[in-house]
Amino acid sequence: MITLRNIIVKLILGTFLIVGINSCDEGGEPDPGSTLVVEMAGDWYVKAYDESGTNALTGFSLFSTYNTSDNDSSLWLDDHEGIFPLKSKVAVDLNAMTFSASDAENLFDAAGIATVTEGKILKKATTSTGGNVVDSIAFKVTLQNDPGNVYLIGGYKRTGLLEDEH
């Protein structure tokens, strides 16, 4: 009887061991996938300029672009209220790496509407403050709560390197 009990215990332990080893196998390299706007998404260091782009109105501020929950060809522009309150969704042309929005809801401004024009991202088109070649972003924005003023927002993609942080 002791032998039968030992055999059953060994079978149960062996089964747990086999299941445990096999459950750790991922079955290859996992693919987390990506969003449609992955090439345009990221953190940026940008400045606000007058419409002509000759006079900087602010220093560098952190700015983000990221996908919507629909994962469609639209993108969120989010200044984290660092320049002025701006968080709006824009339509994207993925092939041309451009974006725009007409009378878009500005979520950081309760009564606000934002119009974004001439938005573009250029790959490896500028140099960061630390001297690294990075993507650039530029667009014009008009805010309903600041009528008549057009601001040019421009800057470079955040590298994460200490020499490029602001």
Side-chain angles (χ1 to χ4, degrees), residues 1-57:
M1 181 135 301
I2 294 178
T3 345
L4 183 58
R5 185 180 299 174
N6 286 343
I7 293 172
I8 291 173
V9 168
K10 288 178 183 179
L11 283 174
I12 291 172
L13 289 175
T15 302
F16 281 122
L17 182 63
I18 290 171
V19 169
I21 290 171
N22 286 332
S23 67
C24 292
D25 182 20
E26 295 177 0
E29 275 303 305
D31 180 13
S34 62
T35 65
L36 288 176
V37 294
V38 68
E39 291 294 317
M40 298 177 77
D43 288 329
W44 309 82
Y45 281 116
V46 299
K47 289 183 179 182
Y49 299 86
D50 62 3
E51 185 176 10
S52 68
T54 55
N55 298 316
L57 304 174

Side-chain angles (χ1 to χ4, degrees), residues 131-155:
N132 300 295
V133 176
V134 292
D135 299 349
S136 71
I137 188 170
F139 62 94
K140 290 184 178 179
V141 63
T142 306
L143 302 171
Q144 180 184 19
N145 65 3
D146 191 7
N149 289 315
V150 178
Y151 299 98
L152 173 64
I153 307 297

Side-chain angles (χ1 to χ4, degrees), residues 57-71:
L57 304 174
T58 66
F60 280 106
S61 184
L62 185 65
F63 187 87
S64 298
T65 56
Y66 45 89
N67 65 291
T68 64
S69 60
D70 293 334
N71 193 25

Side-chain angles (χ1 to χ4, degrees), residues 89-109:
K89 190 173 11 173
V90 295
V92 170
D93 179 337
L94 295 169
N95 293 324
M97 302 281 284
T98 59
F99 54 91
S100 63
S102 180
D103 296 330
E105 181 180 11
N106 183 357
L107 298 181
F108 282 161
D109 186 0

